[in-house]
Amino acid sequence: MHIIALTNYQMALVQVLPGGLMSLIGKTLGHYQITSQLGKGGMGEVYQAKDQKLGRDVAIKVLPEEFAKDAERVARFQREAKLLASLNHPNIAAIHGLEEAGRTHFLVLELVEGDTLADQIRKGPIPVEESLKLALQIAEALEAAHNKGVIHRDLKPANIKVTPDGKVKVLDFGLAKAFAGERADLNLSNSPTLSNAATLQGVILGTAAYMSPEQARGKPVDKRADIWAFGVVLFEMLTGRSVFSGDDVSQTLARVLEKRPDYSTLPENLHPKIIETLERCLEKEVKDRYGVISDARVDIQKALADPGGVLVQPIAETEPRRKLRTVLLWAAALVLMAIIAGVAAWKLKPPEPQRVVRFDYELPEGQQFGDLSDSVLAVSPDGSKFVYCTTAGLLLRPLDKPTAELIPGSDK
């Protein structure tokens, strides 16, 4: 005899569905035939099913039995589901309807092919340009929902699918609030991903690591909680590693509240605009964060449009620029050497020979030289004039004038 240990949530499914959990595949809920299991989380298990009326494949999210016991909760969920169904955007997985079969309530969702972003990140960092292009699609989905007053509240890589052709589809938009109601804003323990139904550690830690600080404190949240989660998702795409996860939920939440992301783990030479975007998304004080996701989207678009690329390469790292810098340095050195040589040549050139001027000069009538000791001639440094002494005094004669002039006061 085999004994199988089941969680409380799995026991609930065994009680609700004929034949038990193990025989759910192949069963029919309403006109939907279950064909395979796709995954599970705090808000229920997800299956692939065939819509026998429309002949299309859909995803079925089966909600826990405890959900159906609260009529007010079901009514609130139905109201929220109508709002969520109004979201019509290419990057948001559509909600086709909320239905019930017996005591089982389930959502009918668009079936999205491809891996989740969590699957891709587990393989390692996603190339920078690809990460940014995926982030743009996520931001556009958030922007469309926020414009209609819908907050995701549980954005994480596991809730984001990437189709084979690279299109992003954000799943479970707004279901956190629809499932738990306003009480989730007041008491963290009511969060659908931290509820008693979600007993698997992977589910609990996977969500806590993407909670904004205000969510972790159990305070009311707005669209800036999604902006925080968007920053965490982008950070993990670029690094391939978790930003805040700890060994248990308490440590994880403590890191969300206190730890600063390790920006040194980001790709080397990442565009400064992307680093700034991450910093703005991951501000722990909600008032310091981006106010709207469109601001983050625009900053990412600017980085992608930069001619220098999303990885800003230093000049020395590119061969053409390194050669150009070498040529410029040699040219500058040659110019400097030429200047030095020119200055040296000018300094060392021999002086020009002095010009010798010979001329005769006759003293004007009535003048005669004084005593021999006083008759010395003096010539100006530039050779343009001379002075001589006579009995009348000192006379100054410019060479370009025919006569000399008495220097005032020299006749005394």
Side-chain angles (χ1 to χ4, degrees):
M1 182 175 68
H2 298 284
I3 299 176
I4 301 175
L6 300 176
T7 65
N8 292 335
Y9 169 58
Q10 290 170 329
M11 288 296 295
L13 280 179
V14 170
Q15 295 170 4
V16 170
L17 298 173
L21 178 66
M22 305 307 292
S23 61
L24 180 59
I25 296 174
K27 297 295 182 181
T28 300
L29 290 177
H31 55 85
Y32 300 96
Q33 183 175 18
I34 308 297
T35 57
S36 63
Q37 184 174 13
L38 299 176
K40 54 187 173 181
M43 287 181 284
E45 299 204 359
V46 184
Y47 298 89
Q48 181 171 337
K50 173 70 75 173
D51 184 340
Q52 295 177 322
K53 283 187 177 180
L54 299 179
R56 63 179 176 182
D57 290 325
V58 295
I60 297 290
K61 183 182 285 287
V62 179
L63 302 173
E65 180 192 18
E66 63 184 38
F67 174 84
K69 293 179 179 179
D70 186 343
E72 180 182 348
R73 191 175 182 187
V74 170
R76 182 177 60 246
F77 190 93
Q78 290 172 335
R79 290 194 300 270
E80 291 290 342
K82 288 180 181 178
L83 174 61
L84 301 179
S86 70
L87 295 179
N88 183 17
H89 191 273
N91 297 121
I92 298 177
I95 295 179
H96 296 316
L98 170 62
E99 301 191 24
E100 59 182 296
R103 291 182 298 167
T104 303
H105 288 74
F106 58 95
L107 282 167
V108 183
L109 310 168
E110 176 186 358
L111 179 65
V112 181
E113 301 292 341
D115 294 332
T116 67
L117 202 53
D119 295 329
Q120 294 195 14
I121 293 173
R122 273 193 286 270
K123 300 174 185 176
I126 299 174
V128 174
E129 187 169 354
E130 182 182 350
S131 292
L132 298 182
K133 289 179 178 179
L134 293 174
L136 278 183
Q137 295 184 64
I138 299 169
E140 288 170 357
L142 290 173
E143 187 174 353
H146 291 174
N147 287 341
K148 287 206 169 186
V150 177
I151 306 170
H152 194 294
R153 299 170 186 260
D154 195 24
L155 185 69
K156 55 188 176 184
N159 278 340
I160 301 168
K161 274 205 168 187
V162 182
T163 65
D165 60 353
K167 180 180 285 295
V168 164
K169 287 282 189 177
V170 181
L171 313 177
D172 287 356
F173 232 110
L175 292 186
K177 178 183 179 184
F179 186 81
E182 296 299 333
R183 291 176 297 175
D185 292 334
L186 303 176
N187 186 346
L188 185 63
S189 64
N190 286 327
S191 170
T193 47
L194 293 178
S195 65
N196 293 332
T199 57
L200 296 177
Q201 284 292 315
V203 174
I204 296 174
L205 295 182
T207 294
Y210 302 92
M211 284 185 175
S212 64
E214 59 271 23
Q215 278 179 295
R217 292 188 177 97
K219 294 184 176 180
V221 300
D222 58 23
K223 57 190 175 184
R224 289 171 292 183
D226 283 351
I227 295 173
W228 167 280
F230 171 81
V232 178
V233 170
L234 175 55
F235 202 110
E236 293 189 3
M237 283 195 286
L238 293 170
T239 62
R241 63 180 70 180
S242 175
V243 184
F244 298 111
S245 286
D247 295 333
D248 54 42
V249 66
S250 299
Q251 187 179 78
T252 298
L253 293 177
R255 289 181 177 180
V256 168
L257 293 171
E258 301 171 5
K259 179 185 173 184
R260 184 178 184 272
D262 185 0
Y263 289 96
S264 68
T265 62
L266 291 169
E268 189 176 0
N269 304 324
L270 184 63
H271 197 291
K273 182 65 71 175
I274 301 304
I275 298 176
E276 180 184 344
T277 298
L278 289 169
E279 290 174 339
R280 289 287 307 278
C281 288
L282 297 176
E283 287 285 356
K284 295 191 185 295
E285 289 294 334
V286 67
K287 62 182 176 62
D288 297 330
R289 219 171 292 156
Y290 280 119
V292 289
I293 191 64
S294 59
D295 289 344
R297 173 182 55 76
V298 169
D299 284 343
I300 293 173
Q301 287 174 329
K302 288 179 180 178
L304 282 169
D306 192 324
V310 292
L311 289 177
V312 183
Q313 298 291 342
I315 292 178
E317 290 186 5
T318 58
E319 187 64 24
R321 290 183 178 178
R322 180 164 55 247
K323 289 181 178 179
L324 176 61
R325 184 180 64 174
T326 301
V327 170
L328 291 176
L329 288 175
W330 274 108
L334 290 174
V335 171
L336 181 60
M337 290 173 64
I339 293 173
I340 294 173
V343 172
W346 181 77
K347 289 286 187 182
L348 296 176
K349 71 177 182 178
E352 294 182 2
Q354 297 293 323
R355 185 167 60 91
V356 178
V357 179
R358 296 179 180 273
F359 62 92
D360 295 327
Y361 179 68
E362 294 183 2
L363 289 177
E365 185 178 355
Q367 292 184 7
Q368 61 179 358
F369 288 115
D371 297 337
L372 182 61
S373 59
D374 297 329
S375 62
V376 178
L377 292 175
V379 181
S380 66
D382 62 358
S384 64
K385 55 182 78 74
F386 65 92
V387 176
Y388 61 94
C389 180
T390 69
T391 55
L394 294 175
L395 281 87
L396 174 66
R397 162 72 190 276
L399 292 182
D400 59 350
K401 293 184 179 181
T403 59
E405 297 178 354
L406 181 68
I407 298 176
S410 63
D411 56 342
K412 297 181 180 180

